[in-house]
Structures are given as structure tokens and as C-alpha cells.
């Protein structure tokens, strides 16, 4: 019994100090990732602020409410949560390989002599026909070359990658909600501008009609005014369509039917306006702040660990097994005789036509692919920041110029309208001034929407929307 206990204890004591084959992972340096010291586009200096709930900077309670609904109900996020749960279970399964596999069984059998019509413990021949048995087995493969530990390391990297992927999906959904909300408000504003212009053009059409009746001008003035009004009216259905599509998208993003949010979005509200600029820090911050970058780095770590898993298969595998059992004809004598057994085996692949070595080379190629994917993700993240900064600056410059154009076009339209009433100018001048005003107003509205969209783009490019110090965990069930 003492020997058996020592043998079973040896199964649990794993040689943790044994070496693990395969490369030890180290994150690539900034130089290898081609991360510059500063952005090439002008930006506000200073460290990146806390962007975990960046959408509140737009000071629009309805936008905040819709994003909160999306983060709670969105089905893409639900899928990412399920994938994280699968990765968690995979880690538990991998860790199980570090411990012995223990099983136990109970047995009972009873023989009936049908021909002799004997039924009970003793047959006519005097033979006991009942049997009781208890057995326990333990099997363990020693992780001498670290294949199991490398597998756990790889699965741990996969879990962390799934955590960061969940954060990236949450960020993307928040940004998509904000973009569609801006589109909906921009469409409403554009429709309101067109309707306002229609009201003025209706007035101009009435004036032209009066002047035609008075014989002051020909019917050409009235027809030109009528044509211009009709052209303006054709824009409104397109704006309404844009609003409907954005509202439908917002419904789906919040895990509801497409029309679920239309009623609460119907009331006209201004395009949300956030801060004019935000600090973007230095390019190296992207590696810490962007969840997609963090996920790519963890995928690289997992791919590197899988090389060790494949290399461990090239070496011998040592398996140890132990069992104890008892067998008796009655329950009272079940513990009279207990037998134990220890089995050890050493297995080594002699010939597999190069299969295992090919797997090692394949895993190395997969790690190289993951490295290239990581480098690409970092560069794409830097590109996103640069593009967002450019888009924000461009939208702000356009907004300033369009504001001047709206002011000048408004004055010109007022003067043209007054002069046409007085017969000091023709209908063409009036129509051109009204068209210029409508174009300037539409351009200013578009520039405001573009500025808001660029700000959303910049927040997303900087990895806003999650706590980079605490990766997302599974929600409580």
C-alpha cells in the first residue's frame, strides 16, 4: 500500500522545472513594427484622455441612450461574448492536460442457471453466481518537453485575443451607432433646409405670377421659377430616404426591429457637436490603446506557442498509469483482497513520412503570418489616426468657409429678392442667388456632419470605448 501511495503521488508531482521546447515569445519592438516617434499630421499635443465613454462628449442624451442600448443588446457583441466563452472553456480543457486523468468504476454481475432452474447465490453445482468489483485508474502523460504547457500558453493567448476582440466589437458598434445617428440628424437638417428654400421659392413664384399678370414680364419668369421650385422639391424624398435608412440601421444595431427607433427619432434635433479637437498622444500609444492591435499581438503569442506544441510531438512521450481493484463474490469480502498495478510506457514515432516535422514548419509559417498581421494592424491603426486627423481638420476648414458663403449668399438672396420685386433685376439673377444660398446652406450642414463623423472616426482610431487596463470579461449569467 505504501508503494502504491508513493506511485500515485508521483503522478501528481509534475517536473515543472523541465524545459519546454519551442521559441519563447517576446513582443516585437517598436522598430520592427515601424512605429514612428510622432504623427505626420498636425494634432493637439498631450496624452490621450479617458475615452471609455467618448460619446458623452457630444452632449446628446439621446445618442448616449441609443449607444448604451446597443452595447447591451447588439447581436454582434453577443456573438463576440459567445466566442470568448468558447475560448475560456478551451483554456480549461488545455489545463486539464497538466493533471492526471482519474476514473473509477463499480461492477456487479449475477448468473442465472435457467436450465437447472436455480436462482440465488448457490447453483446446483455449488458455484457462487454473484460478483462485486471496484476499480480505480489513473493515467498521466508527463509533460517532459512542455507540449502541454505550450498548449496552455497558446490557449491563454487565444482567450486574451478574444477579450480584446470583444472590446473591438463594442467600440465598432458604438462608433457605428454614432455615425448613423449623425446621418439621421444630418438628413433631417438637409430636409429642413430644402423645405425652407421651397417656402421662399413659392413666394418668388407668386411674385413672378403677379408680374406676369401685370404685363411687366413674360411668362418665362413664372416658368423658370416653377422649374427651380420643382428641382428643389426633388431633393426632399432623398433626404427622407436617408433618414429612414439611418433610423432602420439604428434599430438593428440595438438588437431590435428596423423601425423600432423611428418614432423617437422623428423630432428634428441638431447634429451633435463634440469638442473641436482632442489630444492623440504619440504613435506608440496605439499599441496599448487599440483593442484590435492588442488582439493581433495575442494571436501572435498564441501562434508562437503552438510551434512548441508541434515540436514536443517530435520527442518521446512518457505515460504512467496506475490502478487498484478488488473483486469478490460477496460484499462482506470485497476488501479482503485488493490488487494494484503501475504501468509505464515510452512511445516515440519512428517513421511518419515527415508529417510531424511538416507540422512544425507549418506552425512556424503560421507564426510568421501572425507577425505580418500584427505589423499590418499596427500600421493600419496609425493610418486611421492620421486619416481621422486630416478629415477633422478638413471638415472644420470647410465649415468655416461655408459659414462665410451662407452669410454672403443670404445677403445676396435678400437683395435679389428685393430688387426683383422692384423690377430692378431679372428672374435669372434671383434664381441664381437662391440656388447659391441653398447650396451654401447644404454645404454647411454637410460640413457639420462631416466634422462630427471625423470626431467619431478619431475616437475610434484612438481605441476609445474601453478600459485598456482591464480587458472585458464575460458578463454574469
Amino acid at each position: 500500500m505504501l508503494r502504491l501511495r508513493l506511485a500515485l503521488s508521483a503522478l501528481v508531482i509534475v517536473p515543472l522545472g523541465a524545459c519546454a521546447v519551442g521559441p519563447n515569445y517576446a513582443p516585437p519592438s517598436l522598430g520592427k513594427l515601424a512605429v514612428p516617434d510622432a504623427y505626420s499630421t498636425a494634432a493637439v499635443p498631450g496624452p490621450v484622455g479617458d475615452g471609455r465613454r467618448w460619446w458623452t462628449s457630444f452632449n446628446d442624451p439621446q445618442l448616449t441612450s441609443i449607444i448604451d442600448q446597443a452595447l447591451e443588446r447588439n447581436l454582434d457583441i453577443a456573438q463576440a461574448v459567445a466566442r470568448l466563452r468558447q475560448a475560456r472553456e478551451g483554456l480549461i480543457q488545455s489545463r486539464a492536460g497538466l493533471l492526471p486523468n482519474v476514473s473509477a468504476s463499480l461492477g456487479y454481475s449475477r448468473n442465472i442457471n435457467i436450465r437447472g432452474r436455480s436462482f440465488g447465490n448457490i447453483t446446483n453445482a455449488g458455484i457462487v453466481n454473484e460478483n462485486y468489483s471496484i476499480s480505480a485508474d489513473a493515467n498521466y502523460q508527463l509533460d517532459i518537453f512542455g507540449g502541454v504547457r505550450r498548449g496552455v500558453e497558446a490557449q491563454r493567448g487565444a482567450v486574451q485575443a478574444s477579450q480584446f476582440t470583444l472590446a473591438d466589437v463594442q467600440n465598432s458598434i458604438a462608433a457605428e451607432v454614432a455615425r448613423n445617428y449623425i446621418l439621421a440628424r444630418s438628413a433631417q437638417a438637409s430636409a429642413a433646409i430644402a423645405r425652407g428654400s421651397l417656402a421662399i421659392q413659392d413666394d418668388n413664384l407668386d411674385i413672378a405670377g403677379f408680374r406676369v399678370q401685370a404685363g411687366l414680364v413674360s411668362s418665362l419668369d413664372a416658368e423658370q421659377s416653377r422649374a427651380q421650385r420643382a428641382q428643389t422639391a426633388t431633393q426632399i424624398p432623398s433626404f427622407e430616404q436617408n433618414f429612414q435608412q439611418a433610423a432602420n440601421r439604428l434599430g438593428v444595431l440595438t438588437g431590435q426591429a428596423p423601425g423600432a427607433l423611428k418614432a423617437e427619432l422623428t423630432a428634428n434635433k441638431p447634429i451633435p457637436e463634440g469638442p473641436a479637437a482632442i489630444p492623440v498622444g504619440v504613435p506608440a500609444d496605439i499599441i496599448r490603446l487599440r483593442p484590435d492591435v492588442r488582439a493581433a499581438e495575442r494571436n501572435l503569442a498564441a501562434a508562437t506557442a503552438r510551434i512548441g506544441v508541434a515540436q514536443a510531438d517530435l520527442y518521446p512521450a512518457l505515460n504512467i498509469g496506475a490502478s487498484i481493484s478488488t473483486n469478490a463474490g460477496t460484499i462482506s469480502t470485497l476488501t479482503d483482497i485488493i490488487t494494484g498495478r503501475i504501468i509505464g510506457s515510452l512511445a516515440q514515432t519512428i517513421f511518419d513520412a515527415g508529417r510531424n516535422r511538416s507540422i512544425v514548419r507549418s506552425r512556424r509559417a503560421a507564426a510568421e503570418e501572425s507577425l505580418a498581421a500584427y505589423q499590418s494592424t499596427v500600421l493600419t491603426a496609425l493610418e486611421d489616426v492620421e486619416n481621422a486627423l486630416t478629415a477633422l481638420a478638413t471638415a472644420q476648414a470647410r465649415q468655416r468657409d461655408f459659414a462665410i458663403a451662407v452669410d454672403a449668399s443670404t445677403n445676396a438672396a435678400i437683395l435679389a429678392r428685393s430688387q426683383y420685386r422692384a423690377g430692378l433685376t431679372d428672374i435669372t439673377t434671383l434664381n441664381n442667388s437662391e440656388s447659391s444660398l441653398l447650396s451654401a446652406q447644404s454645404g454647411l450642414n454637410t460640413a457639420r456632419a462631416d466634422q462630427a463623423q471625423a470626431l467619431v472616426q478619431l475616437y475610434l482610431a484612438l481605441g476609445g470605448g474601453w478600459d485598456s487596463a482591464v480587458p472585458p470579461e464575460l458578463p454574469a449569467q
Side-chain angles (χ1 to χ4, degrees), residues 292-358:
D292 57 337
V293 172
R294 299 278 292 273
E297 187 272 335
R298 288 291 83 199
N299 283 329
L300 172 59
T304 303
R306 292 188 186 102
I307 298 175
V309 176
Q311 285 187 334
D313 290 338
L314 299 176
Y315 298 93
L318 176 60
N319 291 275
I320 297 178
S323 66
I324 57 174
S325 63
T326 179
N327 192 347
T330 62
I331 295 179
S332 60
T333 61
L334 191 59
T335 58
D336 289 353
I337 300 176
I338 300 176
T339 59
R341 174 172 73 163
I342 298 178
I343 302 174
S345 65
L346 188 66
Q348 170 67 56
T349 301
I350 303 300
F351 177 75
D352 63 356
R355 177 180 180 275
N356 285 343
R357 294 190 180 278
S358 176

Side-chain angles (χ1 to χ4, degrees), residues 69-131:
Q69 291 179 54
L71 293 177
E72 181 180 353
R73 305 174 187 172
N74 181 266
L75 297 179
D76 289 336
I77 294 177
Q79 294 177 58
V81 169
R83 287 192 292 269
L84 175 56
R85 187 172 289 113
Q86 294 175 52
R88 285 279 187 206
E89 296 302 328
L91 179 58
I92 293 174
Q93 296 164 24
S94 296
R95 285 174 175 168
L98 295 172
L99 299 173
N101 183 18
V102 181
S103 62
S105 64
L106 300 174
Y108 168 75
S109 64
R110 186 173 186 175
N111 297 326
I112 300 175
N113 190 336
I114 297 176
R115 185 172 183 178
R117 295 190 178 181
S118 63
F119 183 86
N121 292 333
I122 306 296
T123 65
N124 291 336
I127 301 173
V128 176
N129 61 0
E130 285 190 332
N131 184 271

Side-chain angles (χ1 to χ4, degrees), residues 168-205:
D168 187 48
V169 173
Q170 291 172 332
N171 291 358
S172 299
I173 293 302
E176 189 173 355
V177 169
R179 282 194 287 261
N180 281 276
Y181 185 84
I182 293 169
L183 286 174
R185 296 308 181 197
S186 176
Q188 286 179 325
S190 296
I193 291 171
R195 291 191 181 98
S197 182
L198 271 181
I200 294 174
Q201 291 173 5
D202 284 338
D203 187 45
N204 292 342
L205 182 57

Side-chain angles (χ1 to χ4, degrees), residues 163-246:
Q163 287 179 291
F164 295 128
T165 299
L166 172 57
D168 187 48
V169 173
Q170 291 172 332
N171 291 358
S172 299
I173 293 302
E176 189 173 355
V177 169
R179 282 194 287 261
N180 281 276
Y181 185 84
I182 293 169
L183 286 174
R185 296 308 181 197
S186 176
Q188 286 179 325
S190 296
I193 291 171
R195 291 191 181 98
S197 182
L198 271 181
I200 294 174
Q201 291 173 5
D202 284 338
D203 187 45
N204 292 342
L205 182 57
D206 291 340
I207 296 172
F210 294 147
R211 290 175 62 81
V212 170
Q213 291 178 1
L216 300 175
V217 294
S218 70
S219 59
L220 179 61
D221 284 20
E223 292 303 318
Q224 287 181 340
S225 296
R226 192 161 67 94
Q228 185 179 36
R229 185 202 177 281
Q231 289 176 357
T232 302
T234 60
Q235 301 178 24
I236 295 178
S238 296
F239 297 140
E240 292 175 343
Q241 177 185 355
N242 293 339
F243 169 79
Q244 295 291 335
Q245 290 175 341

